[in-house]
Amino acid sequence: MLKKIIWLVAIVFVVVISSYMAFVYYVPYSEGVRSGELIKISHKGVVVKTWEGEISQGISGAQIFKFSVMSSNKQLIQQLEEYQGKYVKLKYEEKLRTFFWWGDTRYFIKEVTLEDNPHYRKSND
């Protein structure tokens, strides 16, 4: 009888934890778009390495937006490395919570596109 109770408690525990993790992973808290100059993309960590980045949304870096990228999204990481120092538009998904093996922030990038910098006007020559 005691073995059945222990197994039942263990199964309920695993189901609850799995459901919580699935909810956090699949259900976004918010979604949006941010634009700015891509000033950082790095692979950091000691034991667990995550991809972290920053864009500057203001003149002289007055407003910084920090974000994470899932390690499994290799194409997006490659694009971000290529666009380093350029003006980009990022589509992101904010998670309710994050786990240390996903990234440092709750903002996860889903798509990046190169944009014209609005601070520099092209001449009509």
Side-chain angles (χ1 to χ4, degrees):
M1 179 71 170
L2 185 59
K3 277 188 172 182
K4 285 184 181 182
I5 292 173
I6 291 172
W7 275 106
L8 183 61
V9 168
I11 290 171
V12 167
F13 180 75
V14 168
V15 167
V16 167
I17 295 298
S18 299
S19 298
Y20 174 75
M21 290 183 73
F23 178 80
V24 169
Y25 184 78
Y26 290 109
V27 179
Y29 180 70
S30 73
E31 296 176 315
V33 177
R34 299 255 184 142
S35 296
E37 181 184 355
L38 182 61
I39 58 174
K40 176 185 171 188
I41 182 71
S42 65
H43 196 214
K44 66 183 235 180
V46 177
V47 176
V48 177
K49 296 224 179 255
T50 60
W51 285 95
E52 310 298 330
E54 297 178 356
I55 60 171
S56 172
Q57 294 185 284
I59 297 183
S60 73
Q63 186 177 357
I64 303 295
F65 175 67
K66 296 182 179 188
F67 60 87
S68 301
V69 182
M70 291 287 188
S71 295
S72 60
N73 202 336
K74 304 289 186 207
Q75 182 180 5
L76 183 60
I77 292 166
Q78 185 178 8
Q79 282 181 304
L80 287 165
E81 287 176 329
E82 182 182 324
Y83 295 162
Q84 173 68 33
K86 298 189 169 120
Y87 200 85
V88 295
K89 178 168 66 174
L90 304 174
K91 287 188 181 178
Y92 69 89
E93 185 175 88
E94 181 183 4
K95 304 287 188 185
L96 183 63
R97 299 266 184 261
T98 188
F99 300 104
F100 67 90
W101 60 87
W102 285 355
D104 291 346
T105 73
R106 296 184 316 167
Y107 300 96
F108 291 89
I109 304 307
K110 298 296 177 190
E111 183 182 320
V112 60
T113 53
L114 203 54
E115 294 283 312
D116 289 331
N117 191 330
H119 303 296
Y120 302 110
R121 296 182 186 251
K122 292 183 180 181
S123 63
N124 294 331
D125 305 322

